[in-house]
Amino acid sequence: MPNIVLFSGSSHHDLSQKVADRLGLELGKVITKKFSNQETCVEIGESVRGEDVYIIQSGCGEINDNLMELLIMINACKIASSSRVTAVIPCFPYARQDKKDKSRAPISAKLVANMLSVAGADHIITMDLHASQIQGFFDIAVDNLYAEPAVLQWIKENIPEWKNCIIVSPDAGGAKRVTSIADRLNVDFALIHKERKKANEVDRMVLVGDVKDRVAIMVDDMADTCGTICHAADKLIDAGATKVYAILTHGIFSGPAISRINNAPFEAVVVTNTIPQEEKMKACPKIQVIDISMILAEAIRRTHNGESVSYLFSHVPL
């Protein structure tokens, strides 16, 4: 692939390497370090003049440092005369702060969108945005890829009784995602209505739908402290589900998440590798990972060659 350079930020080197291997490319030379006063310093170690640059950086770990590093890398490539800079952000940072849910609340996702545009990004590739309207925060092109085809493939290959399952959304917001998966598997769906008093704490839950004597598969776009999904799992077992699985695109797993999952009645908690999971898997044997590097790699290849990306919305690249 001529005229393409792939750089990795420091947030998820393993994923970047997998994408590069899939495309048959070497990762570009870049040195990221911090000065003693904690300022981020980025040195691009090769010429990018006239090149199509892709920078892979996920919104995880030290989120603010990684975001700043991404902005600096975009700007460094832009002012070094690259023809186009694409930010590949598997897990978009601040995606949950996407509306004014109370007075004086910031819309930080819009701020991040502005920062990326001002830094010089020409195109964004991301995965399972928390709210797809975030694409409208940008004036540049955004490709919001879906983990859904990979999730469907995992369900069919790893849950033998998938034809007698029920897909459950742990909150009303994810109903659309769940109905789409349920339709494609030709099974029923249920949803759980929850009421929050304050962020990261769930007050009470109501299950809508019948899960008795069925395998319940909970699907959501992200799990952070896992209060919701663990609470929901107990609710599903109480309602007569035989087994409970959780499938999440972004496994953030902060705070008490790991101990909650270990104590919850899950058969497996399946996440994609948009966020590094090696350490979490050591601490929690229930966590399993779906590799989505081939989806990102194919999106990069198609974008670079000027082909349509919509094939990836319903298929996993071979």
Side-chain angles (χ1 to χ4, degrees):
M1 294 168 75
N3 291 17
I4 178 170
V5 183
L6 202 60
F7 289 118
S8 171
S10 54
S11 66
H12 198 346
H13 206 272
D14 181 45
L15 180 67
S16 307
Q17 191 58 59
K18 282 183 172 148
V19 170
D21 293 346
R22 170 91 189 189
L23 292 169
L25 299 170
E26 294 283 318
L27 283 173
K29 295 185 189 67
V30 61
I31 299 165
T32 56
K33 57 178 190 273
K34 280 198 177 150
F35 293 120
S36 61
N37 67 349
Q38 299 300 304
E39 281 182 12
T40 301
C41 168
V42 173
E43 289 173 23
I44 307 289
E46 60 187 76
S47 169
V48 293
R49 184 175 296 274
E51 302 278 20
D52 191 7
V53 176
Y54 292 83
I55 302 171
I56 302 174
Q57 178 83 301
S58 201
C60 54
E62 296 282 340
I63 289 189
N64 297 331
D65 283 352
N66 289 338
L67 177 59
M68 196 65 204
E69 181 183 288
L70 173 62
L71 296 169
I72 294 171
M73 285 173 81
I74 291 169
N75 195 245
C77 291
K78 198 69 189 169
I79 60 179
S81 308
S82 60
S83 69
R84 178 172 67 167
V85 180
T86 302
V88 182
I89 313 173
C91 179
F92 193 82
Y94 291 95
R96 282 176 287 184
Q97 298 183 34
D98 58 351
K99 58 186 176 291
K100 285 187 76 164
D101 47 5
K102 51 184 182 289
S103 49
R104 297 177 296 284
I107 305 181
S108 310
K110 168 72 172 158
L111 176 63
V112 171
N114 289 344
M115 286 158 67
L116 287 163
S117 301
V118 168
D122 298 297
H123 182 192
I124 307 287
I125 295 175
T126 183
M127 189 159 226
D128 274 344
L129 282 171
H130 188 61
S132 46
Q133 292 90 317
I134 293 174
Q135 292 171 87
F137 291 171
F138 290 91
D139 290 330
I140 54 178
V142 179
D143 283 323
N144 180 26
L145 304 170
Y146 300 115
E148 184 181 294
V151 166
L152 291 166
Q153 189 180 338
W154 190 91
I155 290 173
K156 287 174 179 170
E157 287 173 4
N158 295 279
I159 302 179
E161 57 275 77
W162 66 269
K163 287 183 175 162
N164 184 37
C165 74
I166 182 160
I167 312 288
V168 185
S169 172
D171 59 6
K176 212 172 191 175
R177 186 177 294 109
V178 165
T179 47
S180 168
I181 288 178
D183 285 348
R184 291 185 56 185
L185 288 173
N186 199 16
V187 295
D188 290 339
F189 77 97
L191 63 89
I192 288 173
H193 170 67
K194 68 180 177 190
E195 292 171 5
R196 282 183 195 269
K197 286 279 192 287
K198 56 179 188 253
N200 288 10
E201 286 183 26
V202 180
D203 192 33
R204 65 187 203 98
M205 294 188 145
V206 184
L207 173 65
V208 184
D210 179 26
V211 297
K212 193 165 171 54
D213 300 329
R214 281 176 168 175
V215 175
I217 304 173
M218 242 187 301
V219 178
D220 208 356
D221 66 320
M222 61 167 67
D224 188 354
T225 54
C226 293
T228 304
I229 63 163
C230 292
H231 204 133
D234 294 332
K235 197 92 188 159
L236 291 166
I237 292 289
D238 292 346
T242 54
K243 288 181 185 170
V244 179
Y245 292 86
I247 304 183
L248 317 151
T249 307
H250 309 296
I252 302 168
F253 301 146
S254 63
I258 297 295
S259 64
R260 280 177 178 170
I261 291 173
N262 281 327
N263 297 328
F266 289 115
E267 292 294 310
V269 175
V270 184
V271 291
T272 68
N273 59 346
T274 54
I275 292 173
Q277 300 293 350
E278 289 74 30
E279 296 302 311
K280 317 264 173 54
M281 287 169 78
K282 286 177 194 159
C284 177
K286 290 181 186 176
I287 295 176
Q288 297 183 29
V289 172
I290 301 173
D291 181 24
I292 47 86
S293 61
M294 69 285 183
I295 298 177
L296 293 173
E298 185 63 11
I300 289 172
R301 190 192 68 74
R302 285 170 178 256
T303 305
H304 177 65
N305 294 336
E307 299 171 22
S308 165
V309 179
S310 53
Y311 173 83
L312 297 174
F313 297 159
S314 51
H315 300 83
V316 180
L318 298 166

